[in-house]
Amino acid sequence: MSWLTNFVRPKIRALVGGPKKEIPDNLWEKCPGCSTMLFKRELEENLNVCRACGYHMRLDVVRRLEILFDEGRYREISVPKVLVDPLKFRDQKKYIDRLKDAQNKTKRQDAIIVAEGTVGGQKVVAAAFDFAFMGGSMGMGVGEAIVTGARRAVATKSAFVVFPASGGARMQEGALSLMQMPRTIIAADEVKAAGLPYIVVLTDPTTGGVTASFAMVGDIHIAERGAQIGFAGARVIENTIRETLPPGFQRSEYLLDHGMVDIVTERKNLNETLTRVLRLLRKDKGGKNNFLLGPVPHGARSSKRI
Amino acid sequence: MQVLDFEQSISELETKIEELRHLSDGGRVNIADEIAKLQVKVEKQLHQVYDKLTPAQKVQVARHPDRPHCLDYIKALVEDFTPLAGDRLFADDQAIIGGLGRFSGQPCVIIGQERGHDTESRIKHNFGMAKPEGYRKAQRLMDMANRFRLPVITLVDTAGAFPGVDAEARGQAEAIARSIEKCLNINVPLIACVIGEGGSGGAIAIAAGDRVLMLEHAIYSVISPEGCASILWRSASQAADAAAALRLTAQDLEQLGIIDQIIPEPLGGAHRNREEMIARVGNAIGEALEELSRYDAKTLLNNRREKYLAMGKKSVS
């Protein structure tokens, strides 16, 4: 690789010419928000957020966990295996083959990782979706992971934080995937019944049966900036109402306006927000301005009167 | 009655019988014989077709406009029905009917999706596709049932929750999630009966019950076969293949452990003998109610949660 392939933008590179085969096409990425060409290494350092316009691109699930947990350290929790392809589903391709492809591509059993560690010193069990695995779709394996994570949180008295990134239920598992909706809601309820925080961090995209189940029953809903969040797909809605959708429809900010999420945050501020919320919910006595616990310094009282 | 494409020859025979009946006013014996013969033939053909309906044909039967709908069942089976309206938050959604009534003498709460039977009523009920206010009305009524210890009966018949801008703006996903949660948390029996089409999240929102009954030719699916085909086959015309692959028939779902009981339909489907169908549904719900009344609230709740926690863990034959 030469300086040319490393630092020159693809368009210019094409003008300069050079051996075509040697050009790796993954060094630069175009921002879907503002079309700026972004140097991939820089983009990754910036948590997949465009430095020009702040557009939040999707984040790889492992990276997600690395930036979530303190010092990037976490322990993955294994999820019991579930029945594979009970429907023997086949469209243009066999589901079992799609599943194997996704497993080979991601080196994961299913579209989710369950992990535990600390976030700002608070014990957390996290369940994060991998959108690269069949669109993060929820079948029995994902349902099992949510149940496993919830129970681990209860057993270790940890908060349970889920990061959905999903197109919805996995249709290749038919009504069995539909049944993961009540199933995951029961799991979330177990965490809440144990008096532990159940936090949902909605990331791009969260749609369909995932939104309409465990993702909408959190104690607190935090959405990453600009994430698509909704029930019905935009295309389906357009076909039903036969008109174009309003700008910003089904985005985090739209959900905030409509009362469905508590907080919309930039990715870089997510951990700080999460930590603050967890500390407050768990009555952690830390905090910078500890008025209640520390003695008030002489003369520090406000002279303001009502 | 609307004739489905695979019922064509049966319908022709039925028309012939009708014609002969008009002729037979003259009292000629051999016409009566002819009618009897034709009726035997009709029955034979109905058996031939309806004993082995394909999944795609079942989709058609489940959506047949002349099938008894929610209000038909309520009218025939529920005494003192008192419809209750509104979610106390925004509006009353007529896609979901709900209210108090007496089912074989027993006061209970009835909730169901109504699709309507003609243009006017279909518009009134939004074709059975509920908006958040519908699911929030269902939640409110389940809460009330819980407070007064009344069993809940739900009648499921929807293509799905309404996909519209207003529905999304008011939190369709949240409304469905909370409605499922409510089904799972009430301390009274919940019997769900899929009478026609059980369309995805819009259906499970009121169907996470202790007993889930399903009519013989009803369907229940995570996505409509048309929707599935347009995504996986990239063409809605492959809906028949999708219907087969999704395993959305009552027989498949019983095998998968998703539903508890199939209610047989009269020969030729519910639309051929509505009264008989309604009576059978009434009996099945009555039996389930009686059975569930034996459990105390704690057992009921535990069993229901265990049932849904096991979904997908059970071995499948």
PDB file of all heavy atoms in Angstrom, chain A residues 83 89 91-92 140 144 151 171 177 180 183 189 212 231-232 250 254 258, chain B residues 168-169 173 177 181 185 222 231-233 245 308-309 311-314:
ATOM      1  N   LEU A  83     -33.535 -24.498  19.386  1.00  0.00           N
ATOM      2  CA  LEU A  83     -33.859 -25.294  18.206  1.00  0.00           C
ATOM      3  C   LEU A  83     -33.460 -24.537  16.949  1.00  0.00           C
ATOM      4  O   LEU A  83     -33.694 -23.342  16.840  1.00  0.00           O
ATOM      5  CB  LEU A  83     -35.367 -25.530  18.137  1.00  0.00           C
ATOM      6  CG  LEU A  83     -35.941 -26.573  19.078  1.00  0.00           C
ATOM      7  CD1 LEU A  83     -37.451 -26.500  19.024  1.00  0.00           C
ATOM      8  CD2 LEU A  83     -35.456 -27.942  18.682  1.00  0.00           C
ATOM      9  N   PHE A  89     -37.651 -23.706   7.052  1.00  0.00           N
ATOM     10  CA  PHE A  89     -38.077 -22.593   6.212  1.00  0.00           C
ATOM     11  C   PHE A  89     -37.190 -22.446   4.991  1.00  0.00           C
ATOM     12  O   PHE A  89     -35.977 -22.534   5.066  1.00  0.00           O
ATOM     13  CB  PHE A  89     -38.040 -21.296   7.023  1.00  0.00           C
ATOM     14  CG  PHE A  89     -38.713 -20.134   6.365  1.00  0.00           C
ATOM     15  CD1 PHE A  89     -40.006 -19.779   6.709  1.00  0.00           C
ATOM     16  CD2 PHE A  89     -38.055 -19.383   5.388  1.00  0.00           C
ATOM     17  CE1 PHE A  89     -40.632 -18.690   6.099  1.00  0.00           C
ATOM     18  CE2 PHE A  89     -38.678 -18.305   4.780  1.00  0.00           C
ATOM     19  CZ  PHE A  89     -39.973 -17.957   5.141  1.00  0.00           C
ATOM     20  N   ASP A  91     -37.044 -19.926   1.442  1.00  0.00           N
ATOM     21  CA  ASP A  91     -37.567 -19.034   0.401  1.00  0.00           C
ATOM     22  C   ASP A  91     -36.735 -19.290  -0.835  1.00  0.00           C
ATOM     23  O   ASP A  91     -36.661 -20.421  -1.296  1.00  0.00           O
ATOM     24  CB  ASP A  91     -37.555 -17.566   0.859  1.00  0.00           C
ATOM     25  CG  ASP A  91     -36.245 -17.141   1.481  1.00  0.00           C
ATOM     26  OD1 ASP A  91     -35.343 -16.757   0.731  1.00  0.00           O
ATOM     27  OD2 ASP A  91     -36.127 -17.195   2.714  1.00  0.00           O
ATOM     28  N   GLN A  92     -36.077 -18.265  -1.366  1.00  0.00           N
ATOM     29  CA  GLN A  92     -35.219 -18.532  -2.520  1.00  0.00           C
ATOM     30  C   GLN A  92     -33.964 -19.272  -2.068  1.00  0.00           C
ATOM     31  O   GLN A  92     -33.250 -19.855  -2.855  1.00  0.00           O
ATOM     32  CB  GLN A  92     -34.864 -17.214  -3.208  1.00  0.00           C
ATOM     33  CG  GLN A  92     -36.082 -16.624  -3.905  1.00  0.00           C
ATOM     34  CD  GLN A  92     -35.827 -15.223  -4.398  1.00  0.00           C
ATOM     35  OE1 GLN A  92     -35.315 -14.381  -3.671  1.00  0.00           O
ATOM     36  NE2 GLN A  92     -36.173 -14.962  -5.630  1.00  0.00           N
ATOM     37  N   MET A 140     -35.851 -17.236  18.038  1.00  0.00           N
ATOM     38  CA  MET A 140     -35.764 -17.895  19.341  1.00  0.00           C
ATOM     39  C   MET A 140     -34.409 -17.672  20.006  1.00  0.00           C
ATOM     40  O   MET A 140     -34.317 -17.543  21.223  1.00  0.00           O
ATOM     41  CB  MET A 140     -36.016 -19.384  19.160  1.00  0.00           C
ATOM     42  CG  MET A 140     -37.437 -19.670  18.740  1.00  0.00           C
ATOM     43  SD  MET A 140     -37.725 -21.426  18.530  1.00  0.00           S
ATOM     44  CE  MET A 140     -36.839 -21.714  17.028  1.00  0.00           C
ATOM     45  N   GLU A 144     -33.936 -16.089  23.588  1.00  0.00           N
ATOM     46  CA  GLU A 144     -33.211 -16.816  24.633  1.00  0.00           C
ATOM     47  C   GLU A 144     -32.124 -15.932  25.267  1.00  0.00           C
ATOM     48  O   GLU A 144     -31.899 -15.955  26.473  1.00  0.00           O
ATOM     49  CB  GLU A 144     -32.577 -18.076  24.011  1.00  0.00           C
ATOM     50  CG  GLU A 144     -31.928 -19.022  25.007  1.00  0.00           C
ATOM     51  CD  GLU A 144     -32.933 -19.716  25.923  1.00  0.00           C
ATOM     52  OE1 GLU A 144     -34.086 -19.912  25.512  1.00  0.00           O
ATOM     53  OE2 GLU A 144     -32.540 -20.043  27.061  1.00  0.00           O
ATOM     54  N   ARG A 151     -32.006 -12.698  33.410  1.00  0.00           N
ATOM     55  CA  ARG A 151     -31.853 -13.543  34.601  1.00  0.00           C
ATOM     56  C   ARG A 151     -30.472 -13.377  35.224  1.00  0.00           C
ATOM     57  O   ARG A 151     -30.324 -13.434  36.442  1.00  0.00           O
ATOM     58  CB  ARG A 151     -32.122 -14.993  34.220  1.00  0.00           C
ATOM     59  CG  ARG A 151     -33.575 -15.124  33.792  1.00  0.00           C
ATOM     60  CD  ARG A 151     -34.117 -16.494  33.982  1.00  0.00           C
ATOM     61  NE  ARG A 151     -35.561 -16.414  34.087  1.00  0.00           N
ATOM     62  CZ  ARG A 151     -36.380 -17.415  33.806  1.00  0.00           C
ATOM     63  NH1 ARG A 151     -35.891 -18.577  33.413  1.00  0.00           N
ATOM     64  NH2 ARG A 151     -37.678 -17.264  33.948  1.00  0.00           N
ATOM     65  N   MET A 171     -38.727 -13.574  10.308  1.00  0.00           N
ATOM     66  CA  MET A 171     -39.874 -14.268   9.708  1.00  0.00           C
ATOM     67  C   MET A 171     -39.588 -15.718   9.370  1.00  0.00           C
ATOM     68  O   MET A 171     -40.500 -16.526   9.292  1.00  0.00           O
ATOM     69  CB  MET A 171     -40.423 -13.528   8.503  1.00  0.00           C
ATOM     70  CG  MET A 171     -39.426 -12.886   7.660  1.00  0.00           C
ATOM     71  SD  MET A 171     -40.154 -11.808   6.440  1.00  0.00           S
ATOM     72  CE  MET A 171     -38.652 -11.041   5.926  1.00  0.00           C
ATOM     73  N   SER A 177     -41.149 -16.783  16.207  1.00  0.00           N
ATOM     74  CA  SER A 177     -40.464 -15.512  16.440  1.00  0.00           C
ATOM     75  C   SER A 177     -41.437 -14.481  17.006  1.00  0.00           C
ATOM     76  O   SER A 177     -41.076 -13.671  17.851  1.00  0.00           O
ATOM     77  CB  SER A 177     -39.789 -15.001  15.165  1.00  0.00           C
ATOM     78  OG  SER A 177     -40.744 -14.642  14.208  1.00  0.00           O
ATOM     79  N   GLN A 180     -41.629 -14.525  20.651  1.00  0.00           N
ATOM     80  CA  GLN A 180     -40.523 -13.939  21.416  1.00  0.00           C
ATOM     81  C   GLN A 180     -40.913 -12.557  21.946  1.00  0.00           C
ATOM     82  O   GLN A 180     -40.253 -12.027  22.839  1.00  0.00           O
ATOM     83  CB  GLN A 180     -39.251 -13.847  20.568  1.00  0.00           C
ATOM     84  CG  GLN A 180     -38.775 -15.183  20.011  1.00  0.00           C
ATOM     85  CD  GLN A 180     -38.743 -16.286  21.055  1.00  0.00           C
ATOM     86  OE1 GLN A 180     -38.136 -16.132  22.105  1.00  0.00           O
ATOM     87  NE2 GLN A 180     -39.418 -17.404  20.764  1.00  0.00           N
ATOM     88  N   ARG A 183     -42.360 -13.288  25.293  1.00  0.00           N
ATOM     89  CA  ARG A 183     -41.276 -13.924  26.046  1.00  0.00           C
ATOM     90  C   ARG A 183     -40.258 -12.892  26.556  1.00  0.00           C
ATOM     91  O   ARG A 183     -39.865 -12.916  27.721  1.00  0.00           O
ATOM     92  CB  ARG A 183     -40.590 -14.930  25.123  1.00  0.00           C
ATOM     93  CG  ARG A 183     -39.611 -15.804  25.826  1.00  0.00           C
ATOM     94  CD  ARG A 183     -39.251 -16.985  24.934  1.00  0.00           C
ATOM     95  NE  ARG A 183     -38.296 -17.827  25.596  1.00  0.00           N
ATOM     96  CZ  ARG A 183     -37.157 -18.221  25.044  1.00  0.00           C
ATOM     97  NH1 ARG A 183     -36.861 -17.861  23.814  1.00  0.00           N
ATOM     98  NH2 ARG A 183     -36.340 -18.983  25.715  1.00  0.00           N
ATOM     99  N   ASP A 189     -39.737  -7.810  32.575  1.00  0.00           N
ATOM    100  CA  ASP A 189     -40.530  -7.661  33.797  1.00  0.00           C
ATOM    101  C   ASP A 189     -39.833  -8.289  35.000  1.00  0.00           C
ATOM    102  O   ASP A 189     -39.972  -7.809  36.126  1.00  0.00           O
ATOM    103  CB  ASP A 189     -41.921  -8.293  33.610  1.00  0.00           C
ATOM    104  CG  ASP A 189     -42.891  -7.320  32.954  1.00  0.00           C
ATOM    105  OD1 ASP A 189     -42.477  -6.174  32.682  1.00  0.00           O
ATOM    106  OD2 ASP A 189     -44.049  -7.705  32.733  1.00  0.00           O
ATOM    107  N   ALA A 212     -41.942  -3.284  19.366  1.00  0.00           N
ATOM    108  CA  ALA A 212     -43.253  -3.526  19.990  1.00  0.00           C
ATOM    109  C   ALA A 212     -43.185  -4.580  21.091  1.00  0.00           C
ATOM    110  O   ALA A 212     -44.194  -5.193  21.422  1.00  0.00           O
ATOM    111  CB  ALA A 212     -44.272  -3.932  18.932  1.00  0.00           C
ATOM    112  N   PHE A 231     -42.593   1.158  14.479  1.00  0.00           N
ATOM    113  CA  PHE A 231     -43.218  -0.160  14.393  1.00  0.00           C
ATOM    114  C   PHE A 231     -43.294  -0.604  12.929  1.00  0.00           C
ATOM    115  O   PHE A 231     -42.608  -1.506  12.507  1.00  0.00           O
ATOM    116  CB  PHE A 231     -44.609  -0.152  15.041  1.00  0.00           C
ATOM    117  CG  PHE A 231     -45.323  -1.469  14.916  1.00  0.00           C
ATOM    118  CD1 PHE A 231     -44.800  -2.601  15.523  1.00  0.00           C
ATOM    119  CD2 PHE A 231     -46.488  -1.586  14.174  1.00  0.00           C
ATOM    120  CE1 PHE A 231     -45.434  -3.834  15.388  1.00  0.00           C
ATOM    121  CE2 PHE A 231     -47.133  -2.812  14.036  1.00  0.00           C
ATOM    122  CZ  PHE A 231     -46.594  -3.939  14.650  1.00  0.00           C
ATOM    123  N   ALA A 232     -44.098   0.077  12.144  1.00  0.00           N
ATOM    124  CA  ALA A 232     -44.260  -0.307  10.743  1.00  0.00           C
ATOM    125  C   ALA A 232     -43.129   0.282   9.904  1.00  0.00           C
ATOM    126  O   ALA A 232     -42.592   1.341  10.214  1.00  0.00           O
ATOM    127  CB  ALA A 232     -45.599   0.191  10.228  1.00  0.00           C
ATOM    128  N   GLN A 250     -40.082   8.942  12.361  1.00  0.00           N
ATOM    129  CA  GLN A 250     -39.527   7.734  12.984  1.00  0.00           C
ATOM    130  C   GLN A 250     -38.051   7.869  13.359  1.00  0.00           C
ATOM    131  O   GLN A 250     -37.354   6.873  13.485  1.00  0.00           O
ATOM    132  CB  GLN A 250     -39.704   6.515  12.068  1.00  0.00           C
ATOM    133  CG  GLN A 250     -41.129   5.996  12.036  1.00  0.00           C
ATOM    134  CD  GLN A 250     -41.267   4.697  11.255  1.00  0.00           C
ATOM    135  OE1 GLN A 250     -40.479   4.441  10.350  1.00  0.00           O
ATOM    136  NE2 GLN A 250     -42.241   3.876  11.587  1.00  0.00           N
ATOM    137  N   TYR A 254     -37.937  12.607  16.666  1.00  0.00           N
ATOM    138  CA  TYR A 254     -39.390  12.522  16.458  1.00  0.00           C
ATOM    139  C   TYR A 254     -40.025  11.773  17.623  1.00  0.00           C
ATOM    140  O   TYR A 254     -41.064  12.170  18.158  1.00  0.00           O
ATOM    141  CB  TYR A 254     -39.635  11.802  15.130  1.00  0.00           C
ATOM    142  CG  TYR A 254     -41.073  11.600  14.715  1.00  0.00           C
ATOM    143  CD1 TYR A 254     -41.732  12.539  13.939  1.00  0.00           C
ATOM    144  CD2 TYR A 254     -41.758  10.434  15.061  1.00  0.00           C
ATOM    145  CE1 TYR A 254     -43.035  12.332  13.514  1.00  0.00           C
ATOM    146  CE2 TYR A 254     -43.059  10.216  14.654  1.00  0.00           C
ATOM    147  CZ  TYR A 254     -43.697  11.168  13.877  1.00  0.00           C
ATOM    148  OH  TYR A 254     -44.989  10.953  13.467  1.00  0.00           O
ATOM    149  N   HIS A 258     -42.634  13.019  20.522  1.00  0.00           N
ATOM    150  CA  HIS A 258     -43.925  12.360  20.704  1.00  0.00           C
ATOM    151  C   HIS A 258     -44.006  11.566  22.007  1.00  0.00           C
ATOM    152  O   HIS A 258     -44.915  10.755  22.195  1.00  0.00           O
ATOM    153  CB  HIS A 258     -44.236  11.478  19.494  1.00  0.00           C
ATOM    154  CG  HIS A 258     -44.595  12.287  18.287  1.00  0.00           C
ATOM    155  ND1 HIS A 258     -43.644  12.798  17.426  1.00  0.00           N
ATOM    156  CD2 HIS A 258     -45.788  12.721  17.818  1.00  0.00           C
ATOM    157  CE1 HIS A 258     -44.241  13.490  16.487  1.00  0.00           C
ATOM    158  NE2 HIS A 258     -45.542  13.467  16.695  1.00  0.00           N
TER     159      HIS A 258
ATOM    160  N   GLU B 168     -47.958   5.761  14.310  1.00  0.00           N
ATOM    161  CA  GLU B 168     -46.558   5.795  14.742  1.00  0.00           C
ATOM    162  C   GLU B 168     -46.334   6.973  15.691  1.00  0.00           C
ATOM    163  O   GLU B 168     -45.644   6.850  16.688  1.00  0.00           O
ATOM    164  CB  GLU B 168     -45.627   5.930  13.531  1.00  0.00           C
ATOM    165  CG  GLU B 168     -45.642   4.729  12.590  1.00  0.00           C
ATOM    166  CD  GLU B 168     -44.978   3.488  13.164  1.00  0.00           C
ATOM    167  OE1 GLU B 168     -43.918   3.607  13.805  1.00  0.00           O
ATOM    168  OE2 GLU B 168     -45.524   2.381  12.967  1.00  0.00           O
ATOM    169  N   ALA B 169     -46.936   8.116  15.351  1.00  0.00           N
ATOM    170  CA  ALA B 169     -46.753   9.315  16.171  1.00  0.00           C
ATOM    171  C   ALA B 169     -47.237   9.091  17.600  1.00  0.00           C
ATOM    172  O   ALA B 169     -46.668   9.596  18.547  1.00  0.00           O
ATOM    173  CB  ALA B 169     -47.493  10.498  15.542  1.00  0.00           C
ATOM    174  N   ALA B 173     -45.861   0.991  18.645  1.00  0.00           N
ATOM    175  CA  ALA B 173     -45.031  -0.070  19.224  1.00  0.00           C
ATOM    176  C   ALA B 173     -45.210  -0.134  20.735  1.00  0.00           C
ATOM    177  O   ALA B 173     -45.366  -1.212  21.311  1.00  0.00           O
ATOM    178  CB  ALA B 173     -43.566   0.170  18.873  1.00  0.00           C
ATOM    179  N   ALA B 177     -46.647  -3.266  22.887  1.00  0.00           N
ATOM    180  CA  ALA B 177     -45.810  -3.866  23.932  1.00  0.00           C
ATOM    181  C   ALA B 177     -46.531  -3.862  25.281  1.00  0.00           C
ATOM    182  O   ALA B 177     -46.554  -4.865  25.996  1.00  0.00           O
ATOM    183  CB  ALA B 177     -44.489  -3.111  24.032  1.00  0.00           C
ATOM    184  N   GLU B 181     -47.868  -6.929  27.610  1.00  0.00           N
ATOM    185  CA  GLU B 181     -47.469  -6.972  29.016  1.00  0.00           C
ATOM    186  C   GLU B 181     -48.700  -7.112  29.920  1.00  0.00           C
ATOM    187  O   GLU B 181     -48.702  -7.867  30.880  1.00  0.00           O
ATOM    188  CB  GLU B 181     -46.690  -5.688  29.355  1.00  0.00           C
ATOM    189  CG  GLU B 181     -46.002  -5.718  30.698  1.00  0.00           C
ATOM    190  CD  GLU B 181     -45.175  -4.458  30.945  1.00  0.00           C
ATOM    191  OE1 GLU B 181     -45.603  -3.354  30.546  1.00  0.00           O
ATOM    192  OE2 GLU B 181     -44.088  -4.581  31.538  1.00  0.00           O
ATOM    193  N   ASN B 185     -49.865 -10.027  32.703  1.00  0.00           N
ATOM    194  CA  ASN B 185     -49.829  -9.678  34.119  1.00  0.00           C
ATOM    195  C   ASN B 185     -51.161  -9.671  34.837  1.00  0.00           C
ATOM    196  O   ASN B 185     -51.204  -9.441  36.038  1.00  0.00           O
ATOM    197  CB  ASN B 185     -49.161  -8.303  34.297  1.00  0.00           C
ATOM    198  CG  ASN B 185     -47.662  -8.389  34.076  1.00  0.00           C
ATOM    199  OD1 ASN B 185     -47.062  -9.453  34.256  1.00  0.00           O
ATOM    200  ND2 ASN B 185     -47.054  -7.302  33.667  1.00  0.00           N
ATOM    201  N   VAL B 222     -46.415 -14.241  11.808  1.00  0.00           N
ATOM    202  CA  VAL B 222     -45.529 -13.150  12.189  1.00  0.00           C
ATOM    203  C   VAL B 222     -45.562 -12.029  11.148  1.00  0.00           C
ATOM    204  O   VAL B 222     -45.277 -10.878  11.445  1.00  0.00           O
ATOM    205  CB  VAL B 222     -44.095 -13.675  12.400  1.00  0.00           C
ATOM    206  CG1 VAL B 222     -43.509 -14.193  11.094  1.00  0.00           C
ATOM    207  CG2 VAL B 222     -43.181 -12.614  12.985  1.00  0.00           C
ATOM    208  N   ILE B 231     -40.579  -9.329   0.674  1.00  0.00           N
ATOM    209  CA  ILE B 231     -39.244  -9.148   1.244  1.00  0.00           C
ATOM    210  C   ILE B 231     -38.310 -10.289   0.818  1.00  0.00           C
ATOM    211  O   ILE B 231     -37.233 -10.047   0.281  1.00  0.00           O
ATOM    212  CB  ILE B 231     -39.301  -9.064   2.790  1.00  0.00           C
ATOM    213  CG1 ILE B 231     -40.107  -7.829   3.218  1.00  0.00           C
ATOM    214  CG2 ILE B 231     -37.891  -8.983   3.367  1.00  0.00           C
ATOM    215  CD1 ILE B 231     -40.430  -7.783   4.698  1.00  0.00           C
ATOM    216  N   LEU B 232     -38.735 -11.526   1.027  1.00  0.00           N
ATOM    217  CA  LEU B 232     -37.820 -12.648   0.794  1.00  0.00           C
ATOM    218  C   LEU B 232     -37.784 -13.133  -0.655  1.00  0.00           C
ATOM    219  O   LEU B 232     -36.785 -13.636  -1.124  1.00  0.00           O
ATOM    220  CB  LEU B 232     -38.167 -13.815   1.721  1.00  0.00           C
ATOM    221  CG  LEU B 232     -37.892 -13.574   3.203  1.00  0.00           C
ATOM    222  CD1 LEU B 232     -38.244 -14.812   4.021  1.00  0.00           C
ATOM    223  CD2 LEU B 232     -36.436 -13.200   3.448  1.00  0.00           C
ATOM    224  N   TRP B 233     -38.900 -13.004  -1.354  1.00  0.00           N
ATOM    225  CA  TRP B 233     -38.908 -13.408  -2.765  1.00  0.00           C
ATOM    226  C   TRP B 233     -38.841 -12.182  -3.686  1.00  0.00           C
ATOM    227  O   TRP B 233     -38.827 -12.311  -4.876  1.00  0.00           O
ATOM    228  CB  TRP B 233     -40.175 -14.204  -3.094  1.00  0.00           C
ATOM    229  CG  TRP B 233     -40.151 -15.645  -2.693  1.00  0.00           C
ATOM    230  CD1 TRP B 233     -39.827 -16.700  -3.501  1.00  0.00           C
ATOM    231  CD2 TRP B 233     -40.511 -16.223  -1.431  1.00  0.00           C
ATOM    232  NE1 TRP B 233     -39.948 -17.879  -2.807  1.00  0.00           N
ATOM    233  CE2 TRP B 233     -40.365 -17.619  -1.528  1.00  0.00           C
ATOM    234  CE3 TRP B 233     -40.926 -15.688  -0.210  1.00  0.00           C
ATOM    235  CZ2 TRP B 233     -40.629 -18.497  -0.473  1.00  0.00           C
ATOM    236  CZ3 TRP B 233     -41.181 -16.555   0.841  1.00  0.00           C
ATOM    237  CH2 TRP B 233     -41.031 -17.937   0.700  1.00  0.00           C
ATOM    238  N   ALA B 245     -44.435 -21.604   3.600  1.00  0.00           N
ATOM    239  CA  ALA B 245     -43.178 -21.591   4.359  1.00  0.00           C
ATOM    240  C   ALA B 245     -43.385 -21.087   5.792  1.00  0.00           C
ATOM    241  O   ALA B 245     -42.726 -21.552   6.718  1.00  0.00           O
ATOM    242  CB  ALA B 245     -42.149 -20.717   3.648  1.00  0.00           C
ATOM    243  N   TYR B 308     -45.230 -18.830  28.073  1.00  0.00           N
ATOM    244  CA  TYR B 308     -44.597 -17.970  27.065  1.00  0.00           C
ATOM    245  C   TYR B 308     -43.077 -17.957  27.185  1.00  0.00           C
ATOM    246  O   TYR B 308     -42.379 -17.753  26.192  1.00  0.00           O
ATOM    247  CB  TYR B 308     -45.208 -16.564  27.100  1.00  0.00           C
ATOM    248  CG  TYR B 308     -46.550 -16.589  26.416  1.00  0.00           C
ATOM    249  CD1 TYR B 308     -47.727 -16.728  27.148  1.00  0.00           C
ATOM    250  CD2 TYR B 308     -46.639 -16.581  25.029  1.00  0.00           C
ATOM    251  CE1 TYR B 308     -48.959 -16.836  26.525  1.00  0.00           C
ATOM    252  CE2 TYR B 308     -47.859 -16.683  24.395  1.00  0.00           C
ATOM    253  CZ  TYR B 308     -49.019 -16.818  25.142  1.00  0.00           C
ATOM    254  OH  TYR B 308     -50.223 -16.940  24.513  1.00  0.00           O
ATOM    255  N   LEU B 309     -42.575 -18.224  28.391  1.00  0.00           N
ATOM    256  CA  LEU B 309     -41.113 -18.330  28.521  1.00  0.00           C
ATOM    257  C   LEU B 309     -40.590 -19.560  27.790  1.00  0.00           C
ATOM    258  O   LEU B 309     -39.448 -19.595  27.350  1.00  0.00           O
ATOM    259  CB  LEU B 309     -40.729 -18.402  30.005  1.00  0.00           C
ATOM    260  CG  LEU B 309     -40.542 -17.064  30.704  1.00  0.00           C
ATOM    261  CD1 LEU B 309     -40.349 -17.285  32.200  1.00  0.00           C
ATOM    262  CD2 LEU B 309     -39.363 -16.286  30.131  1.00  0.00           C
ATOM    263  N   MET B 311     -41.745 -20.695  24.981  1.00  0.00           N
ATOM    264  CA  MET B 311     -41.976 -20.635  23.531  1.00  0.00           C
ATOM    265  C   MET B 311     -40.653 -20.639  22.775  1.00  0.00           C
ATOM    266  O   MET B 311     -39.845 -19.728  22.909  1.00  0.00           O
ATOM    267  CB  MET B 311     -42.736 -19.367  23.161  1.00  0.00           C
ATOM    268  CG  MET B 311     -44.189 -19.397  23.532  1.00  0.00           C
ATOM    269  SD  MET B 311     -45.146 -20.470  22.455  1.00  0.00           S
ATOM    270  CE  MET B 311     -46.766 -20.315  23.227  1.00  0.00           C
ATOM    271  N   GLY B 312     -40.434 -21.673  22.036  1.00  0.00           N
ATOM    272  CA  GLY B 312     -39.183 -21.777  21.299  1.00  0.00           C
ATOM    273  C   GLY B 312     -38.218 -22.741  21.961  1.00  0.00           C
ATOM    274  O   GLY B 312     -37.218 -23.120  21.386  1.00  0.00           O
ATOM    275  N   LYS B 313     -38.543 -23.153  23.186  1.00  0.00           N
ATOM    276  CA  LYS B 313     -37.678 -24.130  23.840  1.00  0.00           C
ATOM    277  C   LYS B 313     -38.249 -25.536  23.687  1.00  0.00           C
ATOM    278  O   LYS B 313     -37.528 -26.512  23.710  1.00  0.00           O
ATOM    279  CB  LYS B 313     -37.540 -23.807  25.335  1.00  0.00           C
ATOM    280  CG  LYS B 313     -36.761 -22.548  25.589  1.00  0.00           C
ATOM    281  CD  LYS B 313     -36.280 -22.495  27.016  1.00  0.00           C
ATOM    282  CE  LYS B 313     -34.787 -22.782  27.095  1.00  0.00           C
ATOM    283  NZ  LYS B 313     -34.240 -22.605  28.438  1.00  0.00           N
ATOM    284  N   LYS B 314     -39.561 -25.566  23.562  1.00  0.00           N
ATOM    285  CA  LYS B 314     -40.242 -26.854  23.414  1.00  0.00           C
ATOM    286  C   LYS B 314     -39.734 -27.607  22.202  1.00  0.00           C
ATOM    287  O   LYS B 314     -39.436 -27.009  21.178  1.00  0.00           O
ATOM    288  CB  LYS B 314     -41.738 -26.589  23.216  1.00  0.00           C
ATOM    289  CG  LYS B 314     -42.581 -26.950  24.414  1.00  0.00           C
ATOM    290  CD  LYS B 314     -44.027 -26.773  24.036  1.00  0.00           C
ATOM    291  CE  LYS B 314     -44.825 -26.272  25.231  1.00  0.00           C
ATOM    292  NZ  LYS B 314     -46.143 -25.812  24.846  1.00  0.00           N
TER     293      LYS B 314
END
